[in-house]
Amino acid sequence: MISNTIKQIADALATLFPLNLFLINEDGIIQWVNEHMLKAANQTELKAIQGKHVRMFGEKEWLTTKSVITSKEKSILFEDVCQKNFFTIKIPHSEDGFRGVIGLSFDITALRKAEVAKQTFLTNMSHDLRTPLTGILGLAEIQAELGTQAQDKEYGLWIYQAGKQLLELLTAVLDICALENPVDLIKKEEIDLTQFVNEIRELMEPSMLNKNLSFHVKRDMSLRFIFSDSIKLKRVLVNLLSNAVKFTHEGEITLAIKWLDLTTHTQIEMQVIDTGIGIPEDKLDKVFDRFYRVDSSYRTKYLGNGLGLSLVKESLEQLGGSIKVTSQEGKGSCFTITLDVL
Ligand code: ADP
């Protein structure tokens, strides 16, 4: 059995760091918890917990413990126990006469509350800033089209362009905040690709028609369902397709989707291909950096803030994917995504 010395060291450590420690045997019986864990469970004496089944903290607690015991693999989890949030590590153990699980956990309830408050603030602020800005943009657009004098029209256009850039920047900064938020966990679900692709088509086709660009979807039809976060994945593809539209003046845009591994079906490849202006070879590895734009001059005809592709890359990393680009100046670009879909 784990010696008293180790228990004493563990308790001493927990006085320095707010750390909960516990030992659960292979039958799910709680063998020992440290002082800190006792308090977290709203108990004062060890005997209130020792010898009890871990189910006393809920069926889920037992299920995750059992899976560590059977798989013999360490597990890292965010758990809700006794109306508190914990960051927990469960480690399988089968030495020194003890077979079961050693657990360490941090109470992150306060951190989580602060994150939720920050998120609510950002969501409200985003709405409060976007609403009047959209109104200003609408009026500037009207002035740019219907102004009675050439100068009025030009001023209207400038207000519209600057406002649009501000709106895009605001959206991107808020997206980054959301991405860096640990509460913003990935929500994987089954995605019906036919429906998913149709939704993307509906979103993107108006801007393509506007520029006389044709849109093709090439999909391996055996690829019908994937398992991923549909909101994040849609945002990634819309971002890439919007860039394709922005930087293409004639020709076509293609979205190609296929299995990468025909037997195991665990990875797919998605490509967004355009026939646009392309990217110089020496700039290819920079386009995924935050705030990087190939043409960053104020007078450039391509509005943007250089945040889209960095967001795409970070989102894909969260989803278990990666992205690379190939391009030829004057001919077009091809962004290739590799994505885990199980
Ligand atoms: P933004 O489009 O807002 O400038 P991004 O991060 O989306 O920012 O893209 C960074 C830069 O990469 C763009 O400014 C542009 O120079 C280049 N780029 C991205 N996509 C394309 C594309 N499809 N064709 C040509 N250049 C592109």
Side-chain angles (χ1 to χ4, degrees):
M1 191 55 197
I2 299 212
S3 75
N4 276 336
T5 323
I6 293 183
K7 288 179 188 167
Q8 277 165 9
I9 294 172
D11 261 336
L13 261 178
T15 53
L16 291 175
F17 307 104
L19 188 64
N20 302 317
L21 298 158
F22 50 92
L23 298 179
I24 301 166
N25 77 8
E26 57 191 337
D27 299 320
I29 306 298
I30 301 168
Q31 301 294 297
W32 173 78
V33 302
N34 72 342
E35 285 283 326
H36 213 275
M37 171 87 194
L38 261 187
K39 276 194 209 128
N42 301 322
Q43 301 294 340
T44 47
E45 289 185 53
L46 187 57
K47 65 175 188 251
I49 292 185
Q50 202 170 34
K52 302 259 166 69
H53 198 278
V54 69
R55 269 202 197 95
M56 72 179 284
F57 294 117
E59 190 60 24
K60 218 170 150 200
E61 195 54 33
W62 170 223
L63 286 179
T64 57
T65 307
K66 199 157 69 177
S67 112
V68 173
I69 295 166
T70 38
S71 69
K72 295 193 175 57
E73 280 190 19
K74 181 170 81 180
S75 167
I76 299 175
L77 315 141
F78 287 102
E79 296 183 313
D80 298 336
V81 185
C82 299
Q83 291 169 340
K84 290 184 185 160
N85 312 115
F86 293 95
F87 175 65
T88 309
I89 301 177
K90 290 181 178 169
I91 307 162
H93 190 92
S94 55
E95 285 168 27
D96 314 318
F98 172 69
R99 294 169 73 85
V101 166
I102 299 177
L104 298 98
S105 79
F106 275 109
D107 185 342
I108 54 163
T109 314
L111 178 74
R112 200 133 178 168
K113 269 194 191 134
E115 281 300 335
V116 170
K118 183 180 113 187
Q119 206 52 30
T120 313
F121 170 75
L122 282 173
T123 310
N124 289 343
M125 206 180 72
S126 143
H127 179 259
D128 292 350
L129 289 176
R130 266 186 251 222
T131 310
L133 195 53
T134 313
I136 295 170
L137 278 176
L139 286 173
E141 207 175 6
I142 292 174
Q143 185 178 329
E145 274 177 27
L146 306 176
T148 45
Q149 291 185 9
Q151 203 175 41
D152 286 350
K153 286 187 172 194
E154 193 177 23
Y155 287 170
L157 186 64
W158 287 353
I159 298 172
Y160 176 75
Q161 284 176 343
K164 197 156 174 255
Q165 200 149 356
L166 183 61
L167 187 61
E168 276 180 17
L169 181 65
L170 181 71
T171 308
V173 169
L174 290 166
D175 279 351
I176 287 180
C177 294
L179 206 69
E180 284 172 353
N181 176 9
V183 180
D184 183 35
L185 299 174
I186 298 291
K187 294 174 198 84
K188 287 202 177 184
E189 59 191 344
E190 191 174 70
I191 303 175
D192 177 341
L193 267 187
T194 308
Q195 193 187 333
F196 184 75
V197 167
N198 281 343
E199 284 167 12
I200 289 181
R201 193 188 275 283
E202 274 167 28
L203 274 174
M204 295 308 307
E205 234 160 19
S207 58
M208 297 189 191
L209 282 175
N210 233 347
K211 289 184 80 176
N212 270 330
L213 301 169
S214 50
F215 184 39
H216 305 285
V217 177
K218 288 187 190 158
R219 189 178 121 211
D220 172 350
M221 289 316 274
S222 74
L223 209 170
R224 291 171 51 214
F225 296 98
I226 57 169
F227 201 65
S228 191
D229 185 317
S230 93
I231 294 178
K232 284 202 162 65
L233 189 57
K234 193 183 288 170
R235 216 186 285 163
V236 161
L237 289 174
V238 166
N239 232 311
L240 293 175
L241 288 164
S242 303
N243 274 350
V245 174
K246 179 159 65 172
F247 296 105
T248 305
H249 303 295
E250 56 181 14
E252 56 191 47
I253 291 167
T254 307
L255 171 63
I257 309 175
K258 64 173 190 189
W259 287 116
L260 257 189
D261 44 348
L262 284 165
T263 42
T264 50
H265 288 180
T266 55
Q267 279 198 320
I268 60 166
E269 180 185 276
M270 293 179 146
Q271 288 185 311
V272 173
I273 308 159
D274 65 52
T275 53
I277 62 168
I279 303 167
E281 206 180 335
D282 60 327
K283 309 277 171 25
L284 278 177
D285 58 340
K286 298 203 182 80
V287 293
F288 296 104
D289 293 351
R290 277 188 189 175
F291 298 107
Y292 183 80
R293 295 159 68 203
V294 172
D295 180 358
S296 54
S297 66
Y298 175 68
R299 292 257 165 232
T300 176
K301 58 179 169 177
Y302 304 110
L303 293 179
N305 45 51
L307 280 170
L309 287 181
S310 66
L311 274 169
V312 162
K313 187 164 177 261
E314 285 168 44
S315 296
L316 282 170
E317 276 161 12
Q318 286 191 346
L319 291 177
S322 60
I323 184 163
K324 55 185 195 250
V325 57
T326 52
S327 186
Q328 237 184 310
E329 266 191 283
K331 293 231 161 123
S333 308
C334 172
F335 286 83
T336 304
I337 293 171
T338 305
L339 183 70
D340 292 346
V341 288
L342 254 195

